[in-house]
Amino acid sequence: MKKIFILVVATIFMITCAGTAFAGSVDYLINQSIDYYRIMSRNAATDAADIVNYNPAGTVRMKDGIYLNVSTQYLMKDYEFEVKGSELDDLGQRTKYTQDEPTRILPNIYSIYKKGKYSGFLSFTVPAGGGDAKYNEGLPFIQELVQGMVSDQSGGLAYADIRTQSFEGSSVYLAGTVGGAYAINDEVSVSLGLRYISATKEYKGFGIFDVVGRSSGSIVLPNQSMELDAEETATGFGAIIGVDYAPMDNLNLAMRYESQTDLKWKAKVTTQELGSAEVFVDGQKSESNLPALLGLGAHYDLNPKSYITASFNYYFINQADAGTDSDDDPFTQDYDDDYDNGWEIGIGYGYRVMPDLELSGGYLHTDTGANSNTYDDFEPLLDANTIGLGLKYSPDENLDFSVAFATTYYD
């Protein structure tokens, strides 16, 4: 039995978002391999083990053998936003916030065993979340929370002069997938997979402020402090089905559907010193589901050296909205009712300049489903355009090395 090992080793990816690392829509991360960055379209690919994620039914079109695909990503996330027209302006408080904490490691591991009409596959991925966000100057949420608390306690006669603050948050969804595919005939194959997700979100904040009288402008209570240290965890299962159709030797079409993953979140509060305010309740349960996804793809070989490919993904965000939203709770787990379903479309081109070297590039447009009614400190999701470039070097038939670079421009 012939064994084929494919090792994908490096990427550099520039991005300017705050909470997630190149989200496809809301929580999803569509960037699940280096080969994806190289061309921005993998939904109908049949050439490497990362298709476990993008075209699982296509795994039976690979040659018999064992495949391994390992990659990691480094994401630079320089983000800045400014709040205007709020009470913070009138009080002379900070209104501009920045963060540049990168995601240093974002791993993807895939393996396939293919024999005859059958294939089996395993994967470890980070399908959502994907990193930290550190705001050394804090966030508007903290200032507004403290201002409201001080105003309520003083009957509107005092305000908070915040001297220092910081906020750090993270969101990571770890997933393991197992499944298999079967070739019904030379043209059609199908697949079925089961995915388990374990997710964690962490929130840490700190600040020191003085309570100042509105009429006198003098300090009433100096050196007041606030602190928050909490996390939420959830687990869930989802199914993934796929169909691959090859009507011609040089054309491949594919579809996959990822079911909604129901996630029941539980809060754990380590520290919550926010005066009379209570953001989390220890042990409180909530629900925020990972939306279902429909992926479509086409791959067309122009000649033995070049090919074009296109992919379309649709995210069923409205179906994942599990409950009533609260304007008073910035950590509300349910998707905001104002979200639309998200979608994205990618196109790519690959060219083999030498027998052992392929160059490729692609473009992706993302409509997250977010709008001005959904933006907040923790989900400033924006529509985006992404360009990716990369190369794949194959020193022999059993080994590939890939490297890619991508940059995203947000509307």
Side-chain angles (χ1 to χ4, degrees):
M1 179 178 62
K2 182 179 181 181
K3 294 184 179 180
I4 300 178
F5 296 90
I6 299 181
L7 177 64
V8 185
V9 293
T11 189
I12 299 175
F13 178 64
M14 298 186 68
I15 191 167
T16 55
C17 70
T20 56
F22 185 22
S25 183
V26 188
D27 281 329
Y28 257 103
L29 296 183
I30 196 62
N31 46 305
Q32 292 295 304
S33 76
I34 304 307
D35 284 308
Y36 177 83
Y37 282 119
R38 289 197 304 111
I39 202 162
M40 292 292 152
S41 172
R42 295 287 290 165
N43 283 2
T46 57
D47 61 339
D50 70 317
I51 66 172
V52 169
N53 185 81
Y54 298 104
N55 181 21
T59 55
V60 292
R61 301 204 180 278
M62 302 175 74
K63 295 179 180 180
D64 286 359
I66 299 174
Y67 295 77
L68 177 67
N69 183 305
V70 180
S71 64
T72 188
Q73 305 166 32
Y74 183 93
L75 303 102
M76 291 176 279
K77 308 193 302 290
D78 296 334
Y79 185 78
E80 176 181 291
F81 68 91
E82 186 173 0
V83 179
K84 296 181 178 180
S86 70
E87 186 186 12
L88 303 181
D89 282 320
D90 299 333
L91 297 175
Q93 298 287 281
R94 179 179 295 278
T95 56
K96 182 179 288 188
Y97 309 84
T98 61
Q99 92 90 41
D100 58 5
E101 182 70 15
T103 297
R104 294 176 174 84
I105 297 177
L106 188 64
N108 322 111
I109 303 173
Y110 303 97
S111 64
I112 299 172
Y113 172 70
K114 160 62 171 45
K115 181 67 173 180
K117 292 186 176 182
Y118 297 90
S119 69
F121 49 78
L122 298 168
S123 73
F124 171 80
T125 58
V126 183
D132 298 337
K134 293 183 179 179
Y135 292 87
N136 294 326
E137 303 94 355
L139 285 174
F141 150 71
I142 297 177
Q143 299 200 57
E144 292 167 356
L145 178 70
V146 175
Q147 294 294 351
M149 177 187 68
V150 171
S151 180
D152 290 343
Q153 292 180 344
S154 67
L157 299 178
Y159 68 91
D161 181 12
I162 300 180
R163 293 160 49 190
T164 181
Q165 62 164 316
S166 65
F167 184 85
E168 177 181 351
S170 68
S171 175
V172 178
Y173 293 58
L174 303 178
T177 302
V178 60
Y182 172 71
I184 298 175
N185 52 44
D186 291 340
E187 295 182 349
V188 180
S189 60
V190 294
S191 66
L192 176 64
L194 180 65
R195 181 171 64 188
Y196 171 76
I197 292 179
S198 176
T200 302
K201 295 182 179 181
E202 297 181 344
Y203 312 90
K204 294 183 179 180
F206 176 77
I208 296 176
F209 63 96
D210 297 328
V211 178
V212 179
R214 286 186 181 271
S215 59
S216 65
S218 59
I219 297 176
V220 179
L221 293 172
N223 298 323
Q224 302 298 298
S225 65
M226 54 183 176
E227 186 175 1
L228 174 66
D229 185 353
E231 72 172 17
E232 295 178 296
T233 56
T235 59
F237 287 92
I240 302 171
I241 60 174
V243 178
D244 187 271
Y245 175 53
M248 299 183 293
D249 290 341
N250 62 340
L251 176 64
N252 195 64
L253 307 174
M255 181 277 292
R256 82 178 186 284
Y257 177 78
E258 302 180 12
S259 72
Q260 175 176 298
T261 303
D262 292 343
L263 296 172
K264 312 296 183 181
W265 296 84
K266 183 177 181 180
K268 179 182 178 181
V269 178
T270 302
T271 305
Q272 187 167 221
E273 298 177 358
L274 301 173
S276 60
E278 190 175 57
V279 177
F280 292 99
V281 177
D282 192 48
Q284 182 179 29
K285 296 181 179 180
S286 58
E287 183 175 351
S288 179
N289 304 320
L290 193 64
L293 179 157
L294 175 65
L296 304 174
H299 177 106
Y300 183 75
D301 291 325
L302 298 169
N303 53 57
K305 288 187 176 181
S306 64
Y307 63 90
I308 57 174
T309 179
S311 295
F312 176 79
N313 296 315
Y314 191 80
Y315 301 89
F316 297 87
I317 300 172
N318 289 335
Q319 293 181 5
D321 195 347
T324 303
D325 303 311
S326 170
D327 293 334
D328 299 325
D329 181 5
F331 293 94
T332 297
Q333 288 299 320
D334 305 311
Y335 290 118
D336 192 290
D337 295 318
D338 291 324
Y339 272 110
D340 299 318
N341 288 335
W343 59 271
E344 60 198 355
I345 186 167
I347 55 174
Y349 173 78
Y351 181 75
R352 189 170 293 278
V353 295
M354 294 187 293
D356 58 356
L357 182 63
E358 178 186 309
L359 301 181
S360 59
Y363 164 79
L364 179 77
H365 174 75
T366 300
D367 186 311
T368 63
N371 54 63
S372 60
N373 294 325
T374 67
Y375 303 146
D376 60 33
D377 295 4
F378 307 100
E379 284 187 341
L381 299 172
L382 306 174
D383 296 343
N385 298 286
T386 304
I387 298 174
L389 299 170
L391 60 86
K392 180 169 69 173
Y393 172 61
S394 307
D396 62 56
E397 64 177 353
N398 293 335
L399 183 64
D400 294 340
F401 292 94
S402 293
V403 62
F405 168 88
T407 184
T408 297
Y409 302 92
Y410 288 88
D411 296 340

